[in-house]
Amino acid sequence: MNPILKLLVQRIALGLVLLFAASVLIFVGTTILPGDVAQNILGQGATPQALENLRAQLGLNDPAYVRYFNWLGGVLQGDLGTALTNGQDIATSMGGRLWNTLFLAFWAAVVSVPLAILLGLIAVRYRDRWPDKVISTITLATVSVPEFLLGYIAIFLLSVTFPIAPSLAMINDSMSLGAKLQAISLPVLVLVLTVLGHMMRMTRAAILNVMQSAYIETAELKGLRPFTVIARHALPNAIAPVVNVVMLNMAYLVVGVVVVEVVFVYPGMGQYLVDHVAKRDVPVVQACGLVFAAVYISMNILADVISILTNPRLRHPK
Amino acid sequence: MRGIPISALIGLVFTTAYFLAAILADLLAPYGMAEVVGGVWEPSSAEHWLGTDGIGRDLLSRMIYGGRTTILVATAATLLSFTLGSVLGFLAAVRGGWVDQLLSRLVDLMMSIPSLISALVVLSVMPVTLPVLILVMGILDATRVFRLSRAVAVDIAVMDYVEAARLRGERQGWIIAREILPNALSPLVAEMGLRFIFMVLFISTLSFLGLGVQPPLADWGGIVKENKDGIVYGIPAALIPAVAIATLAISVNLVADWVLNRTTSLKGGRGG
């Protein structure tokens, strides 16, 4: 078997095992914990009969492993169960929201990745001079403020003081792409700011690391312009760590989206999850947790796969 | 105090001020935590330095009491995550073998789900009280401390003096406490600052989502949640916690950077 293919298959198999284990963890986290789920849902004033009915409805009287495999079996067939609070099918209500969330994360990625790499290159080119310092200071400031506050600062500045963007990100299917992009401009801005700092700093560090190699000195001695040295010789060799950081931040985007969606009342997965945690709707929380974990784990595997493909040195593990 | 760079000094001063304000909240706050003392969203004035909030409570007092809750929860969770993470990390490094494998794989698994999502999943079935929040945040964060302390301790565990202690027949607990801990302390202390900041952001985020500190108890994330509706009318009350969180985060970062630089220069190289 082709060695690269073998490595890739190994990584993907490992990811599947991890996802399976994560589903166990999510299930255990919501069922084996102290506290009676039925009691929690109905509150202290519930009658014993109501508690018993709800337990039977939730299947809480079966042993935990039976419930787990029933749940997992359903999930594998695309049946995520029904929500306790409104009795709706979870997969149906989640479908559109998942697309909205991916839409938001996608545009944040499209803006942030090239910007982070460009800023990283500039910071390396003007290392320890003012452009580097300005970029470092701004990115340090953006990572010190939680996403939801960045969101409100953005609303305060850009839709109240200078009204150029809407403060609520309402989108629906009938809107054109342009109108949708206008609606999500502020959430995208906030997401970009939250991931930009980390990505830019890691790009800078990765390129600086490569810059110490002998072949960079050779390139400099050949008389290449500094930016050409960085872009042609340093960047390709720094691709693997950069790709890794980019993918980790893409995975993080999917989480950051949870909070940002709540701030901008965006109809996505994060809002759905948070609403149902507050309502203690366990099946919805399990389903959302699983979807988020799946996206996160697949992003991490994708990061591994891309670094293997871009870095021949990783193909021959010692 | 000589030899402390100016940035670290600024960081130390601000960090100390925040912790003092948290401890002395009862003396400093001009009004009670949940006391309604004025109109809705009054601008700042001589009586109410930061104005009042959405139901007429003094914002300065809310911020001070909120800082107490936020810093208390973050500190307790940081201590928990450090105790748990470093003890297990050292144990994994010293023992090796199946203990190491088991703990490391468990940590890998826990880190395969983002901590905010894990916290939300767990909080959907647990009662949201301060001890539960501290426990959940501390345990979730212990995974990161575990990785760091294991990595540091693995390097130390192969040193000659650890080998010598083993040959002397010292117990494992003694080796961890007397040989490994003192040598692993400095990178851990620097990391502690960063974890503390992460905890402040974490509890603020949870409270903002309505799943953290419950009203009427004040905390920084909760203050944002309570006053966010004012923003569209141009009332910046909800943005005040941003200033507090950002200054606290930056000043703790400055101190942590200084600790890390100091310890790396002691070792004459990178500090593990």
Side-chain angles (χ1 to χ4, degrees), chain A residues 18 21-22 29-30 33 40 144-146 148-149 152-153 155-156 160 255 259 262-263 273 277 280 282 285 292 296-297, chain B residues 109 111-112 114 117 120-127 201 204-205 208-209 211 224 228 231 234 236 238-239 242 245-246 250:
Chain A
L18 203 56
T30 48
L33 282 174
N40 270 332
S144 303
V145 181
F148 63 94
L149 276 168
Y152 285 117
I153 294 171
I155 293 180
F156 189 73
V160 178
V255 184
V259 180
V262 174
V263 171
L273 172 61
V277 171
R280 299 189 172 281
V282 177
V285 174
F292 275 114
Y296 194 73
I297 291 173
Chain B
L109 173 60
M111 289 179 88
S112 75
I117 303 293
L120 290 179
V121 167
V122 172
L123 289 176
S124 72
V125 288
M126 298 283 274
L201 300 186
S204 305
T205 302
F208 166 72
L209 295 175
L211 303 163
V224 179
K228 64 183 160 88
I231 288 204
L239 302 184
I245 293 175
I250 291 171

Side-chain angles (χ1 to χ4, degrees), chain B residues 110-178:
Chain B
M110 282 175 72
M111 289 179 88
S112 75
I113 306 174
S115 33
L116 180 64
I117 303 293
S118 307
L120 290 179
V121 167
V122 172
L123 289 176
S124 72
V125 288
M126 298 283 274
V128 183
T129 56
L130 287 191
V132 169
L133 285 172
I134 292 172
L135 214 60
V136 168
M137 287 167 46
I139 291 175
L140 287 176
D141 206 57
T143 54
R144 282 153 219 279
V145 182
F146 172 87
R147 283 219 173 150
L148 177 73
S149 49
R150 181 182 168 278
V152 173
V154 161
D155 282 347
I156 300 174
V158 292
M159 294 282 177
D160 289 342
Y161 53 83
V162 178
E163 201 57 37
R166 279 210 180 110
L167 290 176
R168 281 206 304 276
E170 303 288 3
R171 281 178 303 107
Q172 228 140 38
W174 195 91
I175 294 179
I176 291 178
R178 299 296 295 275

Side-chain angles (χ1 to χ4, degrees), chain A residues 8-241:
Chain A
L8 294 187
V9 171
Q10 273 176 0
R11 286 304 151 106
I12 292 170
L14 188 70
L16 287 177
V17 172
L18 203 56
L19 186 57
F20 173 74
S23 77
V24 175
L25 198 64
I26 290 173
F27 190 82
V28 169
T30 48
T31 49
I32 316 268
L33 282 174
D36 181 358
V37 179
Q39 183 90 60
N40 270 332
I41 294 166
L42 295 176
Q44 291 299 327
T47 62
Q49 184 58 45
L51 283 177
E52 194 44 53
N53 286 344
L54 187 62
R55 281 198 199 106
Q57 187 199 336
L58 295 177
L60 289 180
N61 297 326
D62 293 332
Y65 68 93
V66 173
R67 277 181 284 143
Y68 172 72
F69 283 108
N70 284 341
W71 177 64
L72 190 68
V75 170
L76 290 179
Q77 293 163 28
D79 173 19
L80 295 173
T82 49
L84 293 178
T85 36
N86 55 11
Q88 278 175 3
D89 185 52
I90 296 174
T92 324
S93 11
M94 203 188 266
R97 288 170 174 273
L98 184 58
W99 277 116
N100 287 348
T101 294
L102 292 178
F103 181 72
L104 184 59
F106 170 77
W107 284 104
V110 165
V111 177
S112 62
V113 175
L115 194 62
I117 292 177
L118 185 69
L119 287 179
L121 288 176
I122 294 176
V124 172
R125 170 67 183 82
Y126 299 100
R127 183 183 168 194
D128 294 333
R129 308 230 304 265
W130 67 266
D132 185 20
K133 289 191 172 136
V134 169
I135 294 173
S136 294
T137 312
I138 294 175
T139 49
L140 182 67
T142 55
V143 294
S144 303
V145 181
E147 297 97 344
F148 63 94
L149 276 168
L150 279 179
Y152 285 117
I153 294 171
I155 293 180
F156 189 73
L157 291 179
L158 296 178
S159 70
V160 178
T161 317
F162 305 104
I164 55 175
S167 66
L168 297 181
M170 299 289 199
I171 70 166
N172 54 52
D173 290 339
S174 59
M175 290 162 81
S176 69
L177 184 64
K180 277 185 180 173
L181 288 182
Q182 160 81 9
I184 64 167
S185 54
L186 280 189
V188 166
L189 174 73
V190 172
L191 285 173
V192 167
L193 286 179
T194 51
V195 292
L196 192 63
H198 189 221
M199 275 201 286
M200 174 263 150
R201 275 164 172 260
M202 294 303 287
T203 309
R204 178 178 178 275
I207 298 178
L208 278 182
N209 199 14
V210 175
M211 291 294 276
Q212 283 158 4
S213 319
Y215 56 83
I216 297 293
E217 205 175 344
T218 310
E220 275 166 4
L221 292 176
K222 277 194 304 195
L224 292 184
R225 283 182 299 115
F227 216 93
T228 320
V229 174
I230 295 171
R232 289 278 301 281
H233 294 272
L235 186 60
N237 284 293
I239 281 278

